[in-house]
Amino acid sequence: MAIDRRKVLGLLGLTSVAAGEAAAQATSYYKGPVAFEHGVASGDPSPTAAIFWTRVTPKDAATGEIAVELEIAADPDFKTLVTKTSGLRARASRDWTVKHDIDGDGLKPATDYWYRFKANGVISPVGRTRTLPVGKTKDVVLAVASCALYPNGYFNAYDAIAKLPRVDAVLHLGDYIYEYGGAADDYGMSSPTSKARAPQPATEILSLDDYRRRHAQYKSDPGLQAAHARAPWIVVWDDHETANDSWVGGAENHDPKTEGDWAVRKAAALKAYYEWMPIRDAHGSLPEAAWRDFQFGDVASLLMVETRLSGRTQELTYDADLAIVDGKPDVAGFVAKWKSPDQRMMGQDQQKWLASQIGASVKNNTAWQVLGNQVVMARVAAPNLKATMGEANFNVLLSKLNDYARKAVLQAVAISAYDVPSNLDAWDGYPADRQRVYDIFTAAKARPIVLAGDSHMFWANELWDDAGKTRVAAEFGATSITSPGYGDALPGVPVAEALIQRNKEVKYAHASAKGFLLLTLEHGKATGEMMAVSTIYEPTYTTSVLKRFVVTPATDGGVEALKEV
């Protein structure tokens, strides 16, 4: 039976939360004991606005609604109250989450505020937020994070973000949660922390209740709660908030024969996401349309793009799309599919929006145009580990790998003989659409910095146009909070060295470190610091700067070469 996806969204209640939620009339109240077990958060800031979030957990079987109050102060002790909002409601229909959009009400640009919620006589933890600057601005400091697999390790990197002496906003580029279950062979369950951090529910998440429970588990983590309470977050999903390698019509990790209709699962995942994340709900559009802009004075225009659910066509795979003809790979046939203009990462509406935003930012003399983007944009051809390691060492490596890893390494060596991508799920799998973005950059004479997550690696890349003649942007890739990468699967193997040797655009890569990117934007330069935590397997850790790179704007648009400092 065909399912109308708009009706599905309506049936699941995936509708916007109006700024006037406080005016809603409750028919009955739950007045029993409650707790704030999942902390507080703020997000999507502007010079005079932000989203404020919490979840009220009723301790008994609750019926009706819970009345909630929000206080915002100019100091952490709440001696100077800026605004108070009464009559907010926590409802079962939104999993007892509360999300309130304050615009104005005394909030001023470039200012720190402290906030807390109250419900049934209980006071929540205190959070800190910051509004965006306007006009002349000296600098902006952003922490950039992605990819947190709960069973694979402690969220030490989130805790490290919470302890930063300064952070104006936290950018999360996706894979905030993962959909996998807790079976012995599930992703991350071989970690030494997996028993203490087994996923809830224990199976792969499919239903609305499943996704809600997984979000709740993540937000029970003290490191993540601390990072949310430290600064406003600006977030976007990647694939694991729904299912691995998702696209408009499905996902690699979704089987409609056994797991139901993709539209139903996606709607459930997005409803839970909008309930549990400090993101402004979609208004007047489908919930997949999560692209939006943030202006940090005259220093940076931050453009958060959506490259999974609103426009992405199904990715190619070497197994399915690289045919064997007369015993040889049909590389020419594969390249024709790969370079097809029909391979899209974004829909046309989003690309028009991006062009408009980039053009306006440059015309307003904003120093940097920053793309908050999920996946790596650089050209990254498969590395030839055999050539980098030498044949003898490579053969020793093969003898130590399991069947899955051995196949992946041999496939990478095989395709490294051709000018084709290492990762077809990244922008590399959609070169025509990537060039459309580059054309937007060059037409506007923009000074772009692309931010990327997803890969579980640190990156410092220079992005060149298809002709290889114009450096159009710099890219900083944030490694994972805990999710395993190539360096974990191949310990001691020079994966990063092989990537750098093979690829002109890759200036630095680290395949095993865990942590986050700290980006400082100023007029005339941008500094990316790869912040690494010493361990994810123990709750005690140290933080260090693994590498630091600086990029400066070119005279007539684009950027100069990356420099390590």
Side-chain angles (χ1 to χ4, degrees):
M1 180 179 69
I3 295 180
D4 186 296
R5 51 193 305 277
R6 291 178 184 269
K7 290 181 180 178
V8 167
L9 300 184
L11 287 170
L12 288 173
L14 190 51
T15 54
S16 299
V17 177
E21 182 184 15
Q25 296 297 314
T27 56
S28 63
Y29 292 104
Y30 167 80
K31 297 183 179 180
V34 301
F36 292 93
E37 296 179 353
H38 302 94
V40 298
S42 67
D44 278 11
S46 78
T48 59
I51 292 286
F52 295 88
W53 177 95
T54 193
R55 202 252 189 174
V56 185
T57 302
K59 290 299 187 179
D60 302 325
T63 58
E65 302 174 346
I66 302 173
V68 183
E69 184 176 272
L70 168 64
E71 292 182 342
I72 300 175
D75 62 284
D77 296 323
F78 288 79
K79 293 179 179 178
T80 304
L81 203 63
V82 175
T83 185
K84 180 169 70 174
T85 304
S86 301
L88 300 174
R89 304 289 186 262
R91 300 181 174 96
S93 62
R94 288 188 66 89
D95 202 20
W96 305 108
T97 61
V98 177
K99 190 160 64 171
H100 188 56
D101 190 349
I102 284 187
D103 191 352
D105 288 350
L107 301 189
K108 299 178 181 179
T111 303
D112 288 331
Y113 293 100
W114 286 261
Y115 61 96
R116 64 189 181 189
F117 294 86
K118 296 179 178 180
N120 292 6
V122 179
I123 301 175
S124 75
V126 173
R128 179 179 179 180
T129 195
R130 183 171 177 81
T131 51
L132 301 189
V134 295
K136 188 67 176 176
T137 302
K138 179 184 177 183
D139 56 14
V140 172
V141 178
L142 305 173
V144 185
S146 72
C147 304
L149 182 61
Y150 192 88
N152 201 60
Y154 292 101
F155 287 169
N156 292 336
Y158 284 143
D159 186 68
I161 290 173
K163 293 176 179 175
L164 288 170
R166 177 184 172 189
V167 57
D168 298 325
V170 178
L171 274 57
H172 200 288
L173 301 179
D175 296 344
Y176 182 93
I177 65 168
Y178 279 74
E179 80 275 22
Y180 301 113
D185 59 349
D186 277 335
Y187 190 44
M189 292 307 293
S190 61
S191 168
T193 61
S194 62
K195 289 185 179 179
R197 295 173 67 84
Q200 298 173 8
T203 56
E204 182 177 332
I205 53 178
L206 298 171
S207 68
L208 175 59
D209 182 64
D210 291 343
Y211 281 99
R212 284 171 165 174
R213 289 177 63 190
R214 190 63 56 85
H215 274 282
Q217 180 183 37
Y218 271 65
K219 278 199 172 67
S220 70
D221 184 273
L224 180 51
Q225 286 192 19
H228 271 300
R230 174 63 181 86
W233 282 43
I234 299 171
V235 303
V236 69
W237 55 75
D238 191 25
D239 52 344
H240 291 289
E241 287 87 348
T242 50
N244 182 56
D245 290 356
S246 55
W247 55 287
V248 168
E252 178 277 331
N253 191 32
H254 180 78
D255 183 354
K257 294 179 181 178
T258 59
E259 296 177 327
D261 188 273
W262 169 245
V264 174
R265 182 178 184 179
K266 179 170 65 171
L270 290 180
K271 177 171 172 56
Y273 188 89
Y274 278 110
E275 287 172 349
W276 279 86
M277 297 297 288
I279 180 175
R280 192 165 277 107
D281 284 18
H283 289 277
S285 61
L286 291 175
E288 293 95 325
W291 56 86
R292 57 211 196 280
D293 63 285
F294 301 88
Q295 189 68 30
F296 291 81
D298 63 348
V299 172
S301 299
L302 171 63
L303 306 173
M304 300 295 288
V305 298
E306 198 288 315
T307 60
R308 280 290 173 190
L309 303 178
S310 60
R312 181 193 277 248
T313 55
Q314 188 171 12
E315 71 180 76
L316 302 179
T317 68
Y318 288 113
D319 286 343
D321 297 291
L322 181 57
I324 303 299
V325 178
D326 296 329
K328 296 180 180 179
D330 181 14
V331 176
F334 174 81
V335 169
K337 295 180 186 179
W338 168 48
K339 293 189 175 182
S340 168
D342 295 330
Q343 282 292 103
R344 305 287 307 226
M345 285 280 270
M346 294 182 186
Q348 293 184 359
D349 288 346
Q350 185 174 185
Q351 285 193 339
K352 289 178 181 177
W353 167 84
L354 182 62
S356 174
Q357 292 291 329
I358 293 285
S361 176
V362 173
K363 287 180 181 178
N364 290 334
N365 295 315
T366 305
W368 298 102
Q369 291 72 49
V370 182
L371 227 62
N373 150 77
Q374 292 92 327
V375 296
V376 172
M377 193 171 278
R379 287 178 179 81
V380 185
N384 190 334
L385 282 173
K386 187 175 182 179
T388 301
M389 299 177 67
E391 187 168 358
N393 289 333
F394 181 74
N395 289 334
V396 171
L397 168 66
L398 289 181
S399 69
K400 297 179 179 179
L401 297 178
N402 60 36
D403 291 344
Y404 178 85
R406 186 182 304 108
K407 178 184 176 182
V409 169
L410 288 173
Q411 184 183 65
V413 171
I415 66 173
S416 69
Y418 309 100
D419 187 18
V420 293
S422 173
N423 182 6
L424 292 166
D425 187 54
W427 279 94
D428 240 355
Y430 302 80
D433 233 20
R434 176 173 57 193
Q435 186 57 43
R436 292 183 183 107
V437 173
Y438 290 173
D439 290 343
I440 290 171
F441 290 163
T442 55
K445 296 184 178 181
R447 298 165 290 275
I449 296 174
V450 175
L451 303 175
D454 180 68
S455 69
H456 312 169
M457 293 177 59
F458 277 125
W459 301 86
N461 302 323
E462 295 177 357
L463 307 183
W464 294 72
D465 65 4
D466 270 352
K469 295 180 179 180
T470 304
R471 187 191 297 108
V472 297
E475 179 175 47
F476 292 116
T479 192
S480 64
I481 299 295
T482 59
S483 302
Y486 292 114
D488 301 289
L490 303 170
V493 177
V495 175
E497 180 184 344
L499 285 166
I500 295 168
Q501 288 179 0
R502 180 76 170 85
N503 295 285
K504 167 187 174 181
E505 295 192 354
V506 180
K507 301 305 176 184
Y508 175 76
H510 198 293
S512 60
K514 303 294 180 282
F516 62 95
L517 173 74
L518 192 64
L519 180 66
T520 302
L521 300 161
E522 306 171 70
H523 291 273
K525 71 173 182 178
T527 305
E529 297 176 280
M530 282 76 169
M531 308 295 293
V533 294
S534 57
T535 183
I536 60 171
Y537 302 125
E538 300 289 341
T540 302
Y541 68 96
T542 58
T543 308
S544 62
V545 180
L546 194 63
K547 288 285 181 179
R548 183 183 290 112
F549 288 88
V550 167
V551 61
T552 56
T555 303
D556 197 30
V559 298
E560 301 292 352
L562 286 165
K563 294 182 179 179
E564 184 180 349
V565 295

